Amino acid sequence: MKLFAKYNRINLLATIIIFLLASTTFYIAIKYILIGQIDDDLTIEEREIKTYIKEHNILPEPIPVKDQKITYSLSNELLEKRKFRTVPAYDPQDKEKNSYRVLQFGVGANGKNYVATVAKSLEGTDALINSILLITSTTILLILIVSLIINRVLLKRLWKPFYYTLHTIRNFRVDKKQRLDFPFTSIDEFAFMNQTLEKATNQAQQDYLVLKEFTENASHEMQTPLSIIRSKLDLLIQEENLSEEQSKTVQSTYQAIEKLSRLNYSLLLLAKIENNQFAETSSLNLKLKIEEKINAFHELWQSQNITVDTCLDDTTIKMNNELADILLNNLLSNATRHNVPGGNIKIEIRNKSLRISNSGAQKELDPRRLYSRFYKQDGGHGQNGLGLSIIKQICDVSGFEIDYSFTPGQHLFIISWI
Amino acid sequence: MKVLVIEDERELSDSICSYLANEQFVCERALDFHTALEKVSLYNYACIILDVNLPGGSGLDILNELKKEMKIDGVLIISARNSLDDKVFALKAGADDYLTKPFHLAELGARVAAIIRRKSFEGKNQVILNELMLDLSEKEVRINNKPIDLTRKEYELLLYFISNKNKVIAKNAIAEHLWGDNMDLADNYDFIYTHIKNLRKKLIQAGAADYIKSIYGMGYKFSA
């Protein structure tokens, strides 16, 4: 839900509740006051009637007054209590229903007991209340509409810099060397936010750059000691009188150096791809390229009894030649290494996509961490966990999409281009 | 024959020299740009192993100097930079081969041997070792003048062994030589074992001596 919508919803609800409560209270209060007024009039009438009877000992002649009726009726005993009530009555003159406020009290005249009823029409009062209510509700409605419009327009304008900033920050890539351009705003909070964001993003880019350079430099620096260790090992095994124990030690050292060299190579490769050192692209015949790789892997597949199915459409893609080699080598190496003896590999080019699937572990790879550096599925020792990161990175710089899907025992990677 | 190693890292330079030096080669060393420049202009070498990053200048400038003086020394570039561009650039500048650090000494040995063969036995292009004869242009092997049938990998393997004869070659080095470092499958040693077993069988069956020996499962040695 948008901020406006949320704000408007709360605002509207609160306003309506307050207005409803206020109107109800207002209505009750006005009614109470007006009825009180009429009751006062009725009491005055009562007092006049009683005074008249005290003086003359007869019931006064009712004088016809508009909206007022006085009647007397005989009763057996004297009514002690006065009684106010509101009664609805039909007015034949106006041909409409009208309410009356009625006061009944007992009087004695000529030795007889009467109940005097003084009734006053509430027509005027009702009309007054109705018009007050009408005016109030119209005002409320107007206020609601106007405030809604003001909120909409004003808030939208007020929040404009915020949305602009949001838009700018959405295009932010830590690995791109672009400076973010935040708009000027006169609102302190937004200006402060922009300032903070600018500082944070610049810092992030700076840190990223330092880290990237560090990786590249570290990998480069490691190359020389690695060369020395490797060459010393190559010399060491020339010794005639190495014992079997010593040979085993040397063998283990070789493996470790091999792993380290490979890791170093992969890290350097990643850094180079990120640094756009493979920017030059050309049109490649993917089918020929894959057939070349299939030839290279053929022997290996045969020795592991892996069957390979291919269905290759003639396709040309645009990408860096070296990266294409690395990409295919990595994909096919993965499909081979994570295969099972007697398994299968399927390579297809169709619909602007390359699909490579292989039989393998029964467990799905974690799709969220699949391309993270150093991610290893259980039992993945021996690899450095950079293969898929490199694949992903190559796809990214080449403008390809990569997808992974799993059906029990089959792992499928789809690389698609436009 | 003289080989010059131009490499500023003394330890690496030492290793290369002690690996290459034998009855056939004399190994000289230069540890910086100026010594190197002096040596290459004064003497002739069968092969120069040249590091690109040197204190005092770039190895590529030495290469240019060689070409300017019309020297025919073979040049093998060794560099920490492994991009295709660097390789293409060095080869265009007149280097004979390019090897990326870190490398196996056996690989270096094979490359140096190949360069020297190319430079010294012009036109002939044959490697002869006792009863073995390798025709490099035809990629053919004869034993006692009878051709034997080897697969491409077996042929490459044999040439690699002969180029590093009497040296123990680690399994890793063999794997890397046969499959390149891109394939990322160099840890599959059973595969190498099969190839070596087949090669050995074919050689013996054709009447050659049993040259290839396994050394404690660590590697192999071609003794002649």
Side-chain angles (χ1 to χ4, degrees):
Chain A
M1 194 190 290
K2 273 200 157 187
L3 189 67
F4 298 155
K6 182 117 191 163
Y7 173 79
N8 272 339
R9 190 170 289 187
I10 293 168
N11 198 22
L12 211 66
L13 204 72
T15 320
I16 288 172
I17 288 171
I18 289 170
F19 278 148
L20 276 179
L21 278 175
S23 321
T24 317
T25 321
F26 193 43
Y27 174 79
I28 291 168
I30 285 185
K31 192 144 184 166
Y32 179 78
I33 290 166
L34 288 179
I35 297 271
Q37 197 105 50
I38 287 177
D39 286 355
D40 283 350
D41 290 351
L42 291 174
T43 313
I44 291 168
E45 206 61 44
E46 177 196 11
R47 208 181 303 136
E48 278 173 4
I49 290 170
K50 280 189 172 161
T51 320
Y52 185 88
I53 291 173
K54 210 179 261 174
E55 277 175 17
H56 306 283
N57 203 23
I58 53 161
L59 293 174
E61 276 306 306
I63 313 148
V65 179
K66 195 186 178 286
D67 291 342
Q68 185 176 315
K69 279 188 260 178
I70 300 171
T71 50
Y72 303 99
S73 55
L74 272 169
S75 86
N76 296 333
E77 46 193 296
L78 189 68
L79 203 62
E80 294 283 344
K81 272 190 179 158
R82 310 157 67 222
K83 224 159 82 189
F84 285 103
R85 62 203 160 101
T86 306
V87 286
Y90 183 73
D91 188 342
Q93 247 175 353
D94 294 352
K95 285 191 176 154
E96 60 180 29
K97 261 187 162 174
N98 250 326
S99 299
Y100 280 87
R101 187 67 179 174
V102 175
L103 171 64
Q104 284 186 317
F105 55 92
V107 285
N110 271 340
K112 282 176 187 160
N113 290 327
Y114 295 94
V115 177
T117 309
V118 186
K120 224 173 154 71
S121 168
L122 285 175
E123 197 187 351
T125 321
D126 282 349
L128 186 65
I129 289 175
N130 280 343
S131 50
I132 288 174
L133 270 183
L134 191 71
I135 290 168
T136 329
S137 46
T138 316
T139 317
I140 290 168
L141 213 65
L142 268 175
I143 289 174
L144 276 180
I145 289 168
V146 169
S147 75
L148 209 67
I149 291 169
I150 287 180
N151 278 345
R152 222 156 236 262
V153 174
L154 194 70
L155 277 180
K156 205 161 232 172
R157 182 171 300 174
L158 278 176
W159 282 91
K160 210 172 187 166
F162 176 78
Y163 282 104
Y164 197 95
T165 303
L166 209 62
H167 180 75
T168 314
I169 204 90
R170 196 157 43 183
N171 292 329
F172 174 71
R173 289 275 308 269
V174 78
D175 54 347
K176 290 267 181 305
K177 267 185 215 152
Q178 101 245 50
R179 265 189 93 81
L180 290 187
D181 190 21
F182 291 109
F184 171 78
T185 165
S186 57
I187 296 164
D188 282 352
E189 284 87 345
F190 289 147
F192 186 59
M193 178 179 75
N194 285 351
Q195 234 173 47
T196 315
L197 280 176
E198 203 171 337
K199 224 165 147 184
T201 49
N202 282 345
Q203 189 62 44
Q205 276 175 336
Q206 198 86 35
D207 288 352
Y208 180 76
L209 212 67
V210 169
L211 195 67
K212 211 165 67 172
E213 275 173 5
F214 173 79
T215 316
E216 202 178 348
N217 291 341
S219 307
H220 258 303
E221 289 303 315
M222 264 161 69
Q223 217 98 307
T224 308
L226 275 175
S227 303
I228 294 171
I229 299 173
R230 226 190 209 189
S231 69
K232 295 294 169 195
L233 281 175
D234 284 341
L235 282 182
L236 185 62
I237 58 171
Q238 307 306 330
E239 295 290 328
E240 297 279 319
N241 40 17
L242 279 186
S243 71
E244 195 171 342
E245 238 3 84
Q246 285 167 328
S247 300
K248 274 185 189 154
T249 311
V250 173
Q251 182 63 20
S252 311
T253 318
Y254 258 125
Q255 310 285 32
I257 282 294
E258 222 59 50
K259 224 177 264 182
L260 196 56
S261 304
R262 206 156 286 284
L263 175 66
N264 197 43
Y265 166 79
S266 300
L267 282 175
L268 198 56
L269 181 65
L270 275 171
K272 278 182 175 171
I273 298 172
E274 277 173 12
N275 282 345
N276 252 333
Q277 285 179 24
F278 297 99
E280 195 183 306
T281 60
S282 55
S283 290
L284 302 173
N285 186 323
L286 190 61
K287 188 187 177 186
L288 287 181
K289 231 178 175 98
I290 289 179
E291 280 170 348
E292 205 177 281
K293 297 291 165 205
I294 290 174
N295 266 333
F297 278 85
H298 178 73
E299 265 184 298
L300 190 64
W301 288 330
Q302 225 172 19
S303 75
Q304 296 181 5
N305 282 328
I306 293 172
T307 51
V308 180
D309 289 318
T310 55
C311 173
L312 308 174
D313 286 355
D314 215 2
T315 310
T316 314
I317 53 165
K318 211 172 156 62
M319 77 180 289
N320 179 283
N321 189 29
E322 215 176 333
L323 289 185
D325 275 324
I326 298 168
L327 178 70
L328 293 176
N329 276 335
N330 274 8
L331 282 169
L332 292 178
S333 297
N334 275 351
T336 311
R337 194 182 309 111
H338 301 290
N339 221 313
V340 288
N344 65 72
I345 295 176
K346 211 167 167 183
I347 310 165
E348 281 178 289
I349 310 177
R350 61 177 159 98
N351 294 338
K352 290 178 178 292
S353 68
L354 167 66
R355 295 150 179 269
I356 296 183
S357 75
N358 64 280
S359 52
Q362 289 298 326
K363 212 174 141 200
E364 188 178 4
L365 300 171
D366 183 351
R368 278 166 305 139
R369 294 173 51 219
L370 195 54
Y371 306 111
S372 323
R373 292 178 189 190
F374 304 112
Y375 165 67
K376 283 178 216 170
Q377 195 79 347
D378 345 317
H381 43 262
Q383 287 88 55
N384 55 31
L386 288 175
L388 277 172
S389 308
I390 291 173
I391 290 173
K392 174 86 170 111
Q393 193 86 36
I394 292 176
C395 286
D396 282 353
V397 297
S398 309
F400 302 158
E401 294 274 335
I402 182 160
D403 280 305
Y404 164 75
S405 71
F406 175 79
T407 48
Q410 284 284 331
H411 302 263
L412 169 65
F413 283 92
I414 304 171
I415 290 175
S416 43
W417 54 89
I418 311 138
Chain B
M1 264 183 287
K2 280 199 294 184
V3 174
L4 176 63
V5 179
I6 306 172
E7 160 67 58
D8 62 312
E9 202 63 50
R10 185 182 289 273
E11 287 299 330
L12 190 56
S13 168
D14 278 351
S15 300
I16 293 172
C17 276
S18 35
Y19 189 83
L20 290 182
N22 55 22
E23 63 275 14
Q24 222 184 327
F25 293 135
V26 178
C27 196
E28 281 185 24
R29 299 191 311 172
L31 290 167
D32 61 70
F33 182 78
H34 295 289
T35 324
L37 208 56
E38 208 178 286
K39 280 192 186 259
V40 296
S41 50
L42 282 178
Y43 313 104
N44 289 325
Y45 296 94
C47 185
I48 297 170
I49 295 163
L50 179 59
D51 186 11
V52 177
N53 290 319
L54 290 171
S58 164
L60 293 176
D61 290 337
I62 295 175
L63 184 59
N64 289 333
E65 194 59 36
L66 274 172
K67 295 296 138 187
K68 227 192 297 176
E69 291 180 25
M70 311 282 279
K71 293 216 169 194
I72 55 150
D73 311 31
V75 176
L76 170 63
I77 302 272
I78 48 173
S79 169
R81 298 155 68 104
N82 68 347
S83 86
L84 198 63
D85 285 345
D86 293 321
K87 280 178 208 174
V88 169
F89 186 77
L91 295 179
K92 268 191 184 157
D96 294 270
D97 206 349
Y98 190 102
L99 191 57
T100 309
K101 289 181 193 173
F103 47 77
H104 278 288
L105 290 177
E107 187 63 38
L108 182 85
R111 306 273 185 121
V112 169
I115 288 174
I116 290 174
R117 271 198 307 267
R118 239 178 291 152
K119 294 278 171 188
S120 7
F121 312 107
E122 279 167 79
K124 217 169 149 202
N125 250 346
Q126 281 181 342
V127 175
I128 299 167
L129 185 89
N130 305 337
E131 69 273 34
L132 292 172
M133 198 274 284
L134 275 75
D135 185 330
L136 301 179
S137 45
E138 298 292 321
K139 296 198 189 279
E140 205 185 55
V141 179
R142 285 166 180 268
I143 293 172
N144 297 323
N145 224 4
K146 267 195 300 199
I148 64 165
D149 191 25
L150 296 183
T151 64
R152 230 189 97 208
K153 286 262 186 308
E154 285 159 3
Y155 169 82
E156 278 173 28
L157 200 55
L158 180 61
L159 185 58
Y160 189 56
F161 272 130
I162 291 176
S163 303
N164 287 290
K165 65 170 189 264
N166 294 325
K167 301 276 188 214
V168 179
I169 308 173
K171 283 191 294 188
N172 314 54
I174 298 173
E176 221 175 278
H177 179 75
L178 289 186
W179 283 282
D181 49 356
N182 280 337
M183 229 157 112
D184 201 11
L185 290 165
D187 42 3
N188 197 313
Y189 299 123
D190 301 341
F191 204 27
I192 297 161
Y193 175 71
T194 316
H195 279 291
I196 290 175
K197 199 179 72 187
N198 290 341
L199 173 65
R200 201 168 150 196
K201 209 160 73 188
K202 281 183 185 175
L203 290 180
I204 293 171
Q205 272 172 0
D210 187 7
Y211 292 111
I212 303 166
K213 297 254 173 346
S214 164
I215 309 291
Y216 288 137
M218 184 171 62
Y220 296 89
K221 186 174 180 175
F222 189 95
S223 344

